[in-house]
Amino acid sequence: MIPSLPRPAWLRGATACYLAAFLVFLFLPLVVVGVFAFNDAPYPAPPWHGFTLDWFRGNEAAGRTGLFQDEELLGSIWTSFEVAVWVTLLSVAVGTTNAFLLERFRFRGQQLLSVLILVPLVIPGVILGISILAFASRLAGLAENWFGWEAEFLRPGLPLVVLGQFSFMATIATLTISARLRRFDRTLEEAALNLGASRAAVFRTILVPYLAPALVGSAAICFIMSFADFNTTLMLVGADAPLTVMMYGRMREGASPVLNAVSLFLMVASALLALSLLRLSQKRNDVSAPPAA
Amino acid sequence: MSAAWRARAALAALLAPALLWLGALILLPHVELAVLSLRERIGPQQYAASLSQYKTFFTEPLYWHIFVRTALVSCVATLFTFLATFPIAWIIAKALRGRAGALLFIVCLVPFWVSETVRTLGWMILLRESGVLPSLLVKLGITQVPVEMLYHDATILLGLVYTNMLFMLVPLVSSLESLDDALIEAAYDLGASGWSILRTIVIPHAAPGITAGAIIVFMLTLGNYLTPALLGGKNSEWFTEQIYTQFITRFNWEQGAAFGFLLLGLSTIMVMIGLRLSGQRFGDVMRRT
């Protein structure tokens, strides 16, 4: 119950116990992944054999390949990075145009369009993947039959992975950016126009700075989600596997502490990104806090 | 005249990316999928319209069984996700509130910045026969030999609950935060028990958040591939795996497309039931999450 009401001791005790158990449940898998990246044994399992950095640096004498020599894994990190950059750029760009379309214009069919924009989020990722795969392959077939083009980018591979992830992340970017645009005080824009600013100047000096937190935030979400996406990616992947698909394949084959090492790298990277975002948003709030009326 | 023309040009310029995205990546691919699912291969490069893909699904008990199983397990997983996160949402929004509540909220969101693959890897290390928990059980004298804790239905359920909790927690917290404490205090002063406050005030107030969370969690669970495949192994019998097998392994796109549509249909029906039950609109639910 809420603090203003008397709570029996057992209820308070039970609440505290549940909270503790929940936090253990939440963090145990991550802690275990991190800890076994440093275990001096060829298999990520107890007992503890002592601390080692072999799973990062490798150890030729012991025949161990570390993360830094595992070209396949490093390559897949780079692949994921490239995909994530493209997905982020596309999603934020289309998210921004969508936000203006929904918030600044009134046209026939707008209601329908605003519902359609949400649809990609309720289609299971696997189905987004296979439908884009099937459609792209149809287009490739047509291009070949009609014009004799060899449309390689329409075959399973990274361009399709980018498009597949973009197909639903554009919705997330649209929601984030249009939510902020909706709260924009349009009198600021009108004042600037009245004072003789051009539309381009208004856009650059007022709208873009105002939207910046939403742009940065949605970019970070798209980037992280692109790195983590599995369902859609699995259906569209070609010869070059992004990190999640590569890890999945290795996890099915068997366990190796190298996977723990690469996971730890992912955790540290996303923690850093989350922290810097938090920092940024706090700073921005301090600066852009509205003056007391 | 020229202003109106410019407004039109701007509208067209903004409509183009939206229509291109929805048309080329959502609408047309699904039309293609529908066409695929409604045809049958009768010879090399020759196809005829037919319902045989759907007939296979209904006459082959294996597919039917896996489909129903996936739906049921997803329902149970959604229920458990709600039960597991509701107390935490309450603690964040009501018991702690303020700075401490916000801090706990952030702490609870942290694991979801890491990909599902990594989190599943953690569960595999914890639960496999040579893993952390089985050896702990032996050490504590609870079991004689290490037991295999992977590859059970309960393991799949655990993994599914774990992986989607965030999508329940966020709407729950925001709907509980908007509940006025005065209502709870008034009910208490009038002699209501904790249970009846929960049942008649808290749950009805949080209903929109609960529905939003349940819809998203159910949909994500139904469409999950990674968790059942890795934590359930060969016993997972998950419907998305059937789609993958047909599409990628057997290259039977017609059958895979039909399976895809059946899954999409199930997911859509459940979403609509959820919306109908709570009397909410689709757009409002999506904005909540």
Side-chain angles (χ1 to χ4, degrees), chain B:
Chain B
M1 177 68 191
S2 123
W5 190 86
R6 265 176 47 183
R8 287 206 152 188
L11 178 62
L14 291 175
L15 263 175
L19 294 181
L20 200 63
W21 158 49
L22 290 172
L25 292 177
I26 307 293
L27 208 61
L28 289 176
H30 281 83
V31 171
E32 171 69 23
L33 205 62
V35 170
L36 274 179
S37 78
L38 290 170
R39 74 180 197 187
E40 182 185 17
R41 192 159 175 269
I42 50 174
Q45 302 283 334
Q46 288 199 317
Y47 300 94
S50 106
L51 283 174
S52 68
Q53 314 302 340
Y54 292 94
K55 215 150 84 194
T56 311
F57 171 76
F58 285 106
T59 50
E60 183 68 60
L62 175 72
Y63 298 143
W64 184 229
H65 165 83
I66 293 178
F67 187 73
V68 173
R69 173 187 149 86
T70 306
L72 289 180
V73 173
S74 299
C75 286
V76 176
T78 308
L79 179 69
F80 279 7
T81 310
F82 168 68
L83 293 178
T85 45
F86 188 81
I88 299 300
W90 180 265
I91 293 172
I92 290 171
K94 288 291 164 207
L96 284 177
R97 74 185 73 197
R99 269 193 107 79
L103 188 67
L104 178 62
F105 196 25
I106 291 178
V107 167
C108 286
L109 298 186
V110 165
F112 299 96
W113 280 75
V114 184
S115 75
E116 194 183 346
T117 329
V118 172
R119 288 180 272 144
T120 310
L121 178 66
W123 282 114
M124 289 175 81
I125 294 171
L126 280 168
L127 298 176
R128 73 159 60 93
E129 197 180 349
S130 59
V132 177
L133 287 184
S135 64
L136 191 70
L137 289 181
V138 171
K139 232 172 229 163
L140 294 175
I142 298 175
T143 55
Q144 295 292 313
V145 286
V147 283
E148 178 62 87
M149 295 170 86
L150 278 182
Y151 315 130
H152 300 293
D153 286 358
T155 323
I156 301 179
L157 206 55
L158 171 94
L160 290 171
V161 169
Y162 182 79
T163 208
N164 291 325
M165 274 186 317
L166 162 81
F167 299 97
M168 185 66 92
L169 189 65
V170 172
L172 279 185
V173 167
S174 69
S175 69
L176 285 178
E177 267 174 348
S178 67
L179 172 62
D180 190 347
D181 286 354
L183 288 174
I184 300 172
E185 287 161 357
Y188 180 82
D189 292 340
L190 292 170
S193 69
W195 171 245
S196 65
I197 291 177
L198 185 69
R199 200 169 45 86
T200 58
I201 296 177
V202 177
I203 299 282
H205 180 87
I210 298 173
T211 326
I215 287 175
I216 303 285
V217 169
F218 179 81
M219 208 205 72
L220 289 173
T221 310
L222 199 65
N224 199 316
Y225 183 98
L226 191 73
T227 299
L230 286 174
L231 297 183
K234 290 196 174 66
N235 306 330
S236 66
E237 303 191 326
W238 207 252
F239 201 67
T240 47
E241 285 174 9
Q242 294 299 317
I243 298 177
Y244 181 83
T245 308
Q246 296 295 345
F247 236 86
I248 311 288
T249 321
R250 293 201 195 151
F251 220 68
N252 185 352
W253 283 19
E254 286 75 24
Q255 190 65 69
F259 284 179
F261 260 100
L262 289 163
L263 190 73
L264 189 59
L266 177 64
S267 149
T268 311
I269 288 171
M270 296 304 274
V271 169
M272 283 169 121
I273 291 176
L275 291 178
R276 179 61 58 85
L277 279 181
S278 67
Q280 289 188 89
R281 296 223 333 263
F282 175 61
D284 303 337
V285 168
M286 297 313 291
R287 282 192 190 91
R288 226 171 255 285
T289 42

